[in-house]
Amino acid sequence: MPPIERAAALGRVADVLERDTEEIARAEALDTGKRYAEALLDVDDVLSVFRYYAGRGEEVERPREVDPGVEGVHSVVHREPIGVCSLVTPWNYPLLQASWKVAPCLLAGNTFVLKPSEITPHSTMLMVRAVQEAGVPAGVANLVLGTGPGCAGPLSTDPRVDLVSFTGSLAVGKHLMREAAGTVKRVALELGGKNPNIVFADADREAAIDNAMTAVFLHSGQVCSAGARLLVEESVKDEVVDAVVERARGIRMGPPFDEDAQTGSLTSAQHLAKVEDYVATGLAEGATLRCGGGRPDDPALADGYYYLPTVLDDCRLDMHVVQEESFGPVLTVETFRTEEEAVALANGTVYGLAGAVWTSDRDKARRVARALRLGTVWVNDYHPYVAPAEWGGHKQSGIGRELGELGLEEYQETKHVWENTTPAPTGWFG
Ligand code: NAD
């Protein structure tokens, strides 16, 4: 298919997904445990990803002429599809993470084999159905279902695969990178984050406190960019943390279709156990439990994998619960006195995905944003992203970018064609 037709097909995928929004959101909510209302928002986000790439058909393969500096030579850099792409996705935002890969992959003219998480495959099946309904030729879009080692393993070693694009945990990302090295595949990795949310004393206090809540407790903290580390200037620490604790105690949890619920459960029993372990380790290492720290008492929630919004105060950079992703509704609090100290703490983990700075001083905000080794920095905000802006991690949060221009280039090879219009002997060897 020429690029313009591929782009049109992406537009049709968006139309089909929009038509089936309720069915898809329902599947996503039931698989993940998130609120149905949030799953509806996820579908909206997915539509905007498909429509963003659908609008780029004309530029996707536009060749770039370069000046070779030599008479009689026509020199052009082409952009071509890479080939067969393995796309491996996690369980926290199953549909959204798949869309960040599927849309640019198809626009660039590749074929793919997509493997969703075995915990949450349902919405991805509906997305692939939409791709087929949109008229993408048979064999282009392929779906395999199964566990990681059983399914994604072969997808990263098979010599017929040209690119592995993976979103998931750091440990599995490292493993797939080693596997892909055997046949020198292109590797794109979107891994975890341990994201700092820095609140200076001069910040709009109410906005900072309110956003500190959504930063970490949205989707029960199962967000790669969750602001799970609150770094707060010492002079306002008590005021900020007391307010967060009070509000965290009031969060209402419930199943996906409970309209009074503000957040859902964790996605699996295994993940619940992991979050419990991290909190226990944090307490053993000296953190102070301010709220949460266990499962709710409410008998109506006894059957779900619910975990109370938790705030751990008096945390230090060397604690496991600060360094590693608990990926649950667990906020750790550290304090700082100076801008330099805030930056040093924020940069003090192996991760570098995202984070925020709260201050009313624009110069300070910009200085700190420049100094943070993060793929995304929000100033006086938390969480928003847009399809035209690249997303990805510094340091061990990943390799490569999704979304935006670079998110498309991940799925393209370049080829330089040097065409000599006046061939002649060089005479080099006489
Ligand atoms: P995971 O690494 O356990 O699994 C991700 C995918 O890899 C799944 O499809 C799984 O089946 C597969 N997999 C698991 N073990 C495998 C193995 N040994 N070999 C091959 N494949 C294997 O991650 P998860 O728990 O599903 O997702 C949560 C993680 O994803 C968190 O670390 C989170 O930060 C990260 N994440 C990152 C982003 C981002 O944009 N950077 C977005 C969403 C999630």
Side-chain angles (χ1 to χ4, degrees), residues 337-412:
R337 288 193 184 145
T338 64
E339 188 179 318
E340 291 71 26
E341 196 187 352
V343 169
L345 284 173
N347 285 338
T349 74
V350 298
Y351 291 111
L353 188 60
V357 188
W358 293 86
T359 174
S360 53
D361 177 342
R362 286 189 90 174
D363 291 336
K364 179 158 69 179
R366 288 173 183 183
R367 272 196 313 274
V368 172
R370 290 282 303 256
L372 292 174
R373 296 189 65 196
L374 303 171
T376 296
V377 178
W378 295 288
V379 175
N380 296 328
D381 214 331
Y382 208 99
H383 277 320
Y385 78 93
V386 285
E390 279 75 8
W391 178 266
H394 291 200
K395 303 196 292 186
Q396 294 188 32
S397 283
I399 297 178
R401 289 294 177 268
E402 295 199 299
L403 300 176
E405 184 76 32
L406 296 181
L408 175 63
E409 289 181 10
E410 288 286 343
Y411 294 94
Q412 296 185 304

Side-chain angles (χ1 to χ4, degrees), residues 122-209:
H122 197 164
S123 61
T124 307
M125 293 162 66
L126 299 176
M127 177 188 287
V128 173
R129 187 181 75 181
V131 169
Q132 287 172 338
E133 190 179 333
V136 169
V140 170
N142 303 279
L143 175 73
V144 291
L145 300 177
T147 60
C151 260
L155 291 178
S156 40
T157 51
D158 193 303
R160 293 168 294 179
V161 172
D162 301 285
L163 163 99
V164 180
S165 177
F166 169 80
T167 302
S169 60
L170 177 57
V172 176
K174 285 181 182 175
H175 171 71
L176 290 187
M177 195 172 170
R178 282 192 292 268
E179 295 280 280
T183 45
V184 194
K185 296 185 196 319
R186 191 90 80 84
V187 176
L189 301 174
E190 290 291 337
L191 307 176
K194 193 69 197 187
N195 312 289
N197 186 19
I198 306 171
V199 179
F200 284 98
D202 61 2
D204 176 327
R205 214 65 55 74
E206 175 52 29
I209 290 166

Side-chain angles (χ1 to χ4, degrees), residues 90-395:
W91 50 257
N92 64 327
Y93 282 89
L95 191 70
L96 190 65
Q97 297 304 330
S99 73
W100 290 13
K101 299 184 191 306
V102 166
C105 177
L106 288 178
L107 181 63
N110 301 286
T111 64
F112 68 76
V113 185
L114 170 60
K115 195 210 89 65
S117 167
E118 59 274 30
I119 300 169
T120 55
H122 197 164
S123 61
T124 307
M125 293 162 66
L126 299 176
M127 177 188 287
V128 173
R129 187 181 75 181
V131 169
Q132 287 172 338
E133 190 179 333
V136 169
V140 170
N142 303 279
L143 175 73
V144 291
L145 300 177
T147 60
C151 260
L155 291 178
S156 40
T157 51
D158 193 303
R160 293 168 294 179
V161 172
D162 301 285
L163 163 99
V164 180
S165 177
F166 169 80
T167 302
S169 60
L170 177 57
V172 176
K174 285 181 182 175
H175 171 71
L176 290 187
M177 195 172 170
R178 282 192 292 268
E179 295 280 280
T183 45
V184 194
K185 296 185 196 319
R186 191 90 80 84
V187 176
L189 301 174
E190 290 291 337
L191 307 176
K194 193 69 197 187
N195 312 289
N197 186 19
I198 306 171
V199 179
F200 284 98
D202 61 2
D204 176 327
R205 214 65 55 74
E206 175 52 29
I209 290 166
D210 177 85
N211 279 270
M213 304 287 297
T214 41
V216 64
F217 297 129
L218 184 79
H219 193 18
S220 302
Q222 303 168 116
V223 184
C224 54
S225 53
R229 293 179 66 203
L230 181 63
L231 306 185
V232 54
E233 193 164 346
E234 200 175 71
S235 58
V236 292
K237 185 240 172 183
D238 287 342
E239 182 188 340
V240 171
V241 176
D242 289 352
V244 168
V245 167
E246 192 195 324
R247 293 176 198 196
R249 286 198 179 111
I251 291 177
R252 293 189 302 277
M253 292 181 287
F257 299 95
D258 176 349
E259 288 184 1
D260 289 333
Q262 295 171 312
T263 187
S265 67
L266 297 176
T267 297
S268 69
Q270 190 193 13
H271 186 50
L272 172 62
K274 180 180 152 187
V275 173
E276 286 175 329
D277 268 4
Y278 267 113
V279 172
T281 308
L283 295 176
E285 288 177 326
T288 305
L289 182 67
R290 294 289 308 272
C291 65
R295 306 183 62 177
D297 296 334
D298 183 351
L301 302 179
D303 287 341
Y305 309 130
Y306 293 93
Y307 194 82
L308 289 168
T310 297
V311 178
L312 297 179
D313 203 348
D314 305 318
C315 290
R316 300 179 317 269
L317 189 58
D318 62 349
M319 291 176 170
H320 284 92
V321 74
V322 171
Q323 287 290 328
E324 296 167 23
E325 236 185 349
S326 72
F327 218 53
V330 180
L331 181 68
T332 61
V333 180
E334 297 157 80
T335 50
F336 64 86
R337 288 193 184 145
T338 64
E339 188 179 318
E340 291 71 26
E341 196 187 352
V343 169
L345 284 173
N347 285 338
T349 74
V350 298
Y351 291 111
L353 188 60
V357 188
W358 293 86
T359 174
S360 53
D361 177 342
R362 286 189 90 174
D363 291 336
K364 179 158 69 179
R366 288 173 183 183
R367 272 196 313 274
V368 172
R370 290 282 303 256
L372 292 174
R373 296 189 65 196
L374 303 171
T376 296
V377 178
W378 295 288
V379 175
N380 296 328
D381 214 331
Y382 208 99
H383 277 320
Y385 78 93
V386 285
E390 279 75 8
W391 178 266
H394 291 200
K395 303 196 292 186

